[in-house]
Amino acid sequence: ATTEIYTLSLHDALPISLGKEPAPLWQATEQDMKITIPEGITGQEALTVTEELSAPHCGSGLVPVLATPAMIALMEKTCLRSVQPHLPEGYGTVGTLVHVTHEHATAMGRRVSCTSKLVEIDRRRLVFEVEAQDEAGIIGRGRHERFIIENTKFLARANGR
C-alpha cells in the first residue's frame, strides 16, 4: 500500500465568511510555512474508568459507568495527539464536529482504548474515523473533525468575541 502525502499551504486556508471579510487566521510569510500530514495517520490512547469519568460525575447520567462525554473526550484526545507531531510549533487543532455512537456501557475500573485514523484532509480540515473499545469489544465509533489553527491567533479571536 502506498501512502499519499498532503501538503497544506497555510495562507490558502482562510475561513469562509458571509458578509464581511474576516481577519485571516494566517499571514503569508517569506517562509510560506507548509504543513505536511501523511494520509492514514493512526492514533491510540487509553484510560481506566474512574469516578471522575463516570456519568453521574460528568452530569450525563445516573448510573456509574463511563460517561459518553468522557468517551468523546478520549476520542478527541486520540485524534489530537496523532497529528500534533506533524504541526509546526505554535500550531494545533480544535475539534469542530463529533458524530459518534455510544453502543455499550463500560463499568468502573475497566480499561478503555481508542483508535483513530485520519481519512480525509481538506486544506485545514481533518476528518478521522474513531473507535473505542473495552475488554468485551467495541463500545463506540464514528467520525470526528478537527481544524488546524495557529494557537495565539485563535485564542486572540476567541477572547475578542
Side-chain angles (χ1 to χ4, degrees):
T2 60
T3 300
E4 292 186 43
I5 303 290
Y6 291 87
T7 300
L8 308 173
S9 177
L10 297 182
H11 70 273
D12 291 334
L14 299 177
I16 297 171
S17 70
L18 300 174
K20 65 179 184 173
E21 184 68 26
L25 295 177
W26 294 281
Q27 295 290 338
T29 65
E30 63 255 8
Q31 300 168 343
D32 189 27
M33 184 178 292
K34 303 277 186 189
I35 297 176
T36 303
I37 301 177
E39 180 185 18
I41 287 176
T42 60
Q44 186 165 357
E45 297 289 331
L47 59 76
T48 300
V49 181
T50 62
E51 172 62 31
E52 292 79 25
L53 301 173
S54 71
H57 185 82
C58 291
S60 65
L62 302 176
V63 182
V65 295
L66 178 67
T68 300
M71 181 190 75
I72 291 170
L74 176 62
M75 291 172 165
E76 288 200 70
K77 176 182 177 182
T78 305
C79 297
L80 165 72
R81 288 191 172 175
S82 72
V83 297
Q84 191 62 43
H86 299 275
L87 300 176
E89 186 174 330
Y91 287 79
T93 61
V94 292
T96 58
L97 179 68
V98 178
H99 185 83
V100 299
T101 59
H102 193 170
E103 301 169 18
H104 296 284
T106 302
M108 303 290 287
R110 293 242 175 118
R111 192 93 174 129
V112 173
S113 63
C114 178
T115 56
S116 67
K117 181 177 181 180
L118 181 60
V119 296
E120 182 182 342
I121 301 172
D122 179 13
R123 293 188 297 173
R124 62 188 178 102
R125 183 176 68 98
L126 308 174
V127 181
F128 299 86
E129 289 179 352
V130 291
E131 184 176 277
Q133 57 188 330
D134 62 15
E135 296 93 343
I138 295 171
I139 64 164
R141 63 180 124 203
R143 291 181 87 107
H144 174 49
E145 289 186 9
R146 301 188 70 79
F147 271 74
I148 298 170
I149 53 109
E150 196 278 320
N151 298 333
T152 303
K153 289 181 182 179
F154 183 86
L155 187 56
R157 289 181 122 201
N159 288 333
R161 284 183 39 97

